[in-house]
Amino acid sequence: MDPGRRSQAVAGWILASPFVVVFVAFTAGPVLASLGMSFTDIRSTDLRTPFAVEFVGLSNYADLVQDPVFRKVTVNTLLYLLLGVPLTMAVAMLVAVGLNSVARLRGFFRVAFYLPVVTSIVAVSVVWKYIYRDEGGLLNTALSWFGIDGPGWLDSTTTALPSLVVMAVWRNFGTLMVIFLAGLQTVPQEHLEAAEVDGAGAWRRFRHITLPTMRPVLLFGAVITGIGYLQFFEEAFVMTKGGPLDSTRSVTFFTYDQFSYGNYGYAAAASYLLFLAIVVLTLVQFRLLRERD
């Protein structure tokens, strides 16, 4: 290697070394340690005697597959995903298209719709918990004006999970709205105008021109939204504590509980199954939404 390039490389590594050290110590190291923990029976009581920990192979993973509670929270997480992702993307696209055609107060509406995203999730969850209250809640009070006796939204195994999804959609669609607004700016106006001259209606122009052009943007939105719903946790933790009857408990919530119980190896295995699910979901989304020739 040329001495000049060698000195540049050395200088580069010296400048990057603080980040590398921090990354290895606080990111890569813990990730690898948790992966190793998932193949052991380590518990909180073993921290004082780490050499007493035994290697159990894939036993934790096999136990998770047979655990009825884990199966229940896996179904709940899939429901969060299947309900939340399409609804969030649909609402975000609808609002983005509307704002894209608005000339006045566009900036105001962008800020208004994006504000829930930057608001504390705990604060948002507390407010929505009071909205969903059985007695005196804002939603049931509004329904009573029309003679409708609203249910206990968070107290029923039927309505609790959809109620959390509605709140999550309201809070999260602002992020995709901003992304979709940017994507709409890339749609060639001459193509839309030509299609309009040929007699294509608004829906046909949107379906055959706007959506195909925005395929990369839709892919990005679907990936980040899907990852978010697979890690659904704070809303259920604050609003329902995973109830009633574990109907709103997610895989992330289950992992949190297992760490709280001191089952570190079991919790680590659950977290890596969730990671595997995120990888599979992302690959499927790339296959379905990637650009086609």
Side-chain angles (χ1 to χ4, degrees):
M1 180 183 292
D2 182 79
R5 290 188 176 182
R6 183 182 295 108
S7 62
Q8 289 180 354
V10 171
W13 277 108
I14 292 175
L15 293 174
S17 59
F19 167 78
V20 173
V21 171
V22 172
F23 176 79
V24 171
F26 297 103
T27 302
V31 167
L32 294 176
S34 65
L35 178 61
M37 287 168 55
S38 70
F39 299 108
T40 69
D41 63 351
I42 184 171
R43 293 179 53 83
S44 57
T45 54
D46 296 322
L47 295 180
R48 294 183 178 180
T49 56
F51 294 105
V53 175
E54 294 185 3
F55 179 79
V56 296
L58 297 176
S59 178
N60 287 328
Y61 294 92
D63 292 342
L64 282 170
V65 174
Q66 300 174 4
D67 189 336
V69 177
F70 185 76
R71 291 180 181 179
K72 173 65 175 176
V73 300
T74 300
V75 172
N76 293 342
T77 304
L78 290 177
L79 289 175
Y80 282 128
L81 178 73
L82 295 177
L83 293 174
V85 173
L87 281 174
T88 304
M89 294 188 67
V91 172
M93 180 61 75
L94 180 64
V95 174
V97 170
L99 288 182
N100 194 51
S101 60
V102 172
R104 296 183 178 180
L105 299 178
R106 182 182 298 179
F108 170 78
F109 286 112
R110 284 182 179 179
V111 173
F113 287 128
Y114 190 75
L115 191 59
V117 177
V118 296
T119 305
S120 168
I121 181 59
V122 175
V124 169
S125 299
V126 170
V127 171
W128 275 81
K129 184 176 181 179
Y130 279 95
I131 292 176
Y132 282 137
R133 282 182 62 178
D134 184 9
E135 297 182 2
L138 180 61
L139 181 56
N140 281 353
T141 299
L143 291 175
S144 67
W145 297 341
F146 302 94
I148 302 175
D149 186 16
W153 298 96
L154 301 179
D155 300 326
S156 169
T157 56
T158 303
T159 59
L161 190 147
S163 298
L164 294 185
V165 170
V166 169
M167 188 272 285
V169 170
W170 171 85
R171 181 179 183 271
N172 295 314
F173 83 88
T175 300
L176 292 187
M177 175 204 68
V178 173
I179 295 172
F180 290 165
L181 268 174
L184 288 171
Q185 307 302 315
T186 66
V187 179
Q189 292 301 313
E190 57 271 19
H191 293 180
L192 296 174
E193 293 170 359
E196 185 176 6
V197 170
D198 290 340
W203 170 246
R204 293 187 63 186
R205 295 197 303 272
F206 178 76
R207 179 182 177 185
H208 295 289
I209 298 177
T210 302
L211 284 182
T213 304
M214 291 184 60
R215 188 179 289 271
V217 179
L218 294 173
L219 172 60
F220 177 73
V223 169
I224 64 173
T225 307
I227 292 174
Y229 277 101
L230 282 178
Q231 299 181 71
F232 201 87
F233 172 71
E234 293 93 340
E235 296 89 337
F237 181 79
V238 175
M239 298 176 68
T240 64
K241 300 298 182 184
L245 300 177
D246 290 333
S247 62
T248 60
R249 193 177 302 274
S250 63
V251 172
T252 308
F253 206 141
F254 176 88
T255 304
Y256 169 83
D257 284 339
Q258 293 304 316
F259 268 110
S260 301
Y261 302 152
N263 302 327
Y264 295 160
Y266 202 56
S271 66
Y272 275 95
L273 286 180
L274 179 61
F275 170 74
L276 179 61
I278 291 174
V279 172
V280 172
L281 173 66
T282 303
L283 292 176
V284 170
Q285 290 173 327
F286 265 90
R287 186 171 184 83
L288 293 177
L289 295 175
R290 66 184 178 183
E291 287 189 281
R292 293 180 173 84
D293 297 332

